[in-house]
Amino acid sequence: MRSPPGDPQRENPAELALDGVSDGIEALPKRIDRYGKAKKGALDVAEYMSSLPKHQAMGKKVQDCGDYLIFRHYFTIDRVKLHGASLCRKHLLCPLCAIRRGSKTLAAYLQRWDIIHAENAALKPYLVTLTVKDGDDLKERFNHLAKGQAELWARRRRGRGSVLDGVVGAVWSYEIKRGKNSGSWHPHLHMIALAENPPDQAALSAEWLNITGDSFIVDVTPISQEDPASGFIEVFKYAVKFSDQAPEDTVHAWVTLAGKRLIASSGCFRGVEVPENLLDDSEGLEGLPYVALFYRYMPAGFSLTGRLNGVHQDKPKKPPKPPKPYDENREAAFETTLRLTAELHERRESEKARFIVKHGSLRVHGSE
């Protein structure tokens, strides 16, 4: 179920919306503080992994993540961009990479939503949440949830009537945490569903219970079209849900869910590309002056260690290699190579045929 307004669980997702959006220099201190807390969380995970021989190498990568950050302040337009960083890219283990990955994913799907909404203003986004009963076996509970949602979509495709029949596009993600009261694993799914009318919550609950056999708690909530980010954040908030999770649970979830697809889409949301690069996009900044700000992580957090003035220049694209001029000698040598290769092949085939005629087989006595 969604956290009600004012619930502390909603504070972390709000940070996801701010990351890389409030680009002015005045927002940088809060951003640095947010990254500092994330780095501290990564160090806690790395310390736990150092006690596990099997995962020490990965723990070292997480430990080194975010040792330095390089921001560029384009002061003439008051934009701050994360230009460089040492990132491990293990977003299921590292809170810092999770924030960056989550913000990139959020931006990509919001951009697609803008296009969809411009083409069909009748479509509205709805936040759909599916849960399963808590349990001690994370793998079993996750598979139960994943199998259930797959069957829900399969029923729609079969055309026999489903609560999702009116949904023309969706994107969903899995969130893994322990239940607040049970202490057992509580995997659940958040989905943005696009439809002209909201899916019927009561019908969805009944269908979900019929599919899972043990779970009926679902939620369908309209998302503000004036502020769609508020709802989309719920889908991608997995990226910043490390704060209340013990390192051993983080590592266990990472091991258990290795290779699992935790974000998926259908319909008009299919094909959205999330950039692999976790740094900020610098498109459109060519020729603008900037001040580079170098931060190093210290025991007390990130500290500014240097500044450097510069002018932004996009990396020049390598021009295509011109075709090699025609060379009669080279062409003649190539033709000779082809001719000799063909002659060698024909000679070997002829020898093989004669051998078979003489011995009846390519195998001779004593050979295998």
Side-chain angles (χ1 to χ4, degrees):
M1 300 289 288
R2 291 186 68 193
S3 302
D7 191 298
Q9 293 185 30
R10 296 183 60 87
E11 295 177 4
N12 277 343
E15 295 175 354
L16 192 61
L18 294 173
D19 194 69
V21 176
S22 299
D23 285 330
I25 192 65
E26 291 186 0
L28 183 58
K30 288 185 178 180
R31 192 175 180 186
I32 293 295
D33 181 63
R34 184 163 64 252
Y35 288 175
K37 292 177 180 177
K39 168 67 176 177
K40 175 61 170 60
L43 291 176
D44 291 340
V45 171
E47 182 179 5
Y48 173 72
M49 295 182 79
S50 68
S51 66
L52 307 174
K54 186 177 180 180
H55 301 308
Q56 287 176 351
M58 181 61 70
K60 185 63 169 62
K61 292 182 180 180
V62 176
Q63 177 182 325
D64 295 340
C65 184
D67 278 351
Y68 71 86
L69 304 172
I70 303 173
F71 292 92
R72 285 184 174 182
H73 179 213
Y74 297 87
F75 49 87
T76 58
I77 58 173
D78 192 24
R79 293 271 186 90
V80 176
K81 298 290 185 179
L82 180 62
H83 177 74
S86 55
L87 300 175
C88 68
R89 302 176 60 82
K90 303 299 178 182
H91 61 275
L92 291 182
L93 289 172
C94 173
L96 178 55
C97 289
I99 290 175
R100 295 301 304 161
R101 175 70 175 174
S103 65
K104 289 280 186 174
T105 307
L106 174 65
Y109 277 96
L110 280 175
Q111 186 176 30
R112 173 61 67 86
W113 160 246
D114 288 339
I115 296 173
I116 294 171
H117 185 58
E119 294 176 348
N120 188 349
L123 289 177
K124 301 179 181 65
Y126 297 92
L127 178 64
V128 178
T129 301
L130 303 175
T131 71
V132 292
K133 187 177 179 181
D134 296 1
D136 294 330
D137 188 334
L138 174 58
K139 183 177 181 180
E140 184 276 330
R141 286 289 86 189
F142 176 85
N143 289 340
H144 184 53
L145 174 61
K147 183 178 179 180
Q149 74 89 21
E151 172 61 20
L152 189 63
W153 284 103
R155 291 186 174 192
R156 178 181 180 276
R157 289 193 298 270
R158 294 184 192 119
R160 298 176 183 176
S162 169
V163 71
L164 297 182
D165 281 345
V167 176
V168 300
V171 55
W172 60 91
S173 72
Y174 295 93
E175 183 180 347
I176 310 298
K177 66 177 184 179
R178 289 192 180 275
K180 189 173 183 180
N181 297 320
S182 70
S184 299
W185 288 106
H186 174 62
H188 49 289
L189 178 150
H190 295 295
M191 176 194 304
I192 298 293
L194 303 183
E196 294 187 8
N197 299 298
D200 185 278
Q201 181 168 318
L204 177 60
S205 177
E207 189 168 0
W208 186 241
L209 178 60
N210 177 263
I211 290 172
T212 63
D214 62 8
S215 306
F216 62 90
I217 298 178
V218 302
D219 185 50
V220 178
T221 303
I223 294 174
S224 169
Q225 297 196 56
E226 287 71 32
D227 181 25
S230 62
F232 279 64
I233 287 170
E234 290 289 318
V235 173
F236 306 115
K237 70 180 181 179
Y238 76 93
V240 287
K241 295 301 291 183
F242 290 84
S243 57
D244 298 326
Q245 185 166 280
E248 51 267 33
D249 282 346
T250 296
V251 174
H252 177 67
W254 169 67
V255 171
T256 303
L257 302 177
K260 301 291 186 181
R261 191 176 182 184
L262 300 182
I263 296 181
S265 59
S266 69
C268 54
F269 267 134
R270 289 187 68 86
V272 173
E273 294 186 6
V274 179
E276 292 295 327
N277 188 354
L278 298 184
L279 302 177
D280 286 335
D281 181 18
S282 59
E283 185 178 355
L285 302 176
E286 174 69 20
L288 293 180
Y290 64 79
V291 176
L293 305 171
F294 299 85
Y295 285 83
R296 175 71 65 177
Y297 187 79
M298 306 293 185
F302 283 106
S303 295
L304 181 64
T305 58
R307 300 171 183 263
L308 182 68
N309 295 331
V311 176
H312 183 83
Q313 294 181 352
D314 289 333
K315 293 182 179 180
K317 297 181 179 179
K318 293 183 179 180
K321 293 182 178 180
K324 294 182 179 179
Y326 181 78
D327 185 332
E328 290 185 359
N329 293 331
R330 181 168 59 85
E331 292 297 325
F334 179 69
E335 293 294 335
T336 300
T337 301
L338 289 179
R339 178 176 56 80
L340 293 176
T341 301
E343 290 176 356
L344 178 61
H345 178 74
E346 290 179 2
R347 187 162 60 250
R348 287 179 175 175
E349 289 297 317
S350 178
E351 292 174 354
K352 186 188 300 183
R354 288 197 300 271
F355 188 92
I356 292 174
V357 169
K358 182 177 180 180
H359 299 282
S361 171
L362 287 176
R363 299 180 61 186
V364 298
H365 182 69
S367 66
E368 294 294 336

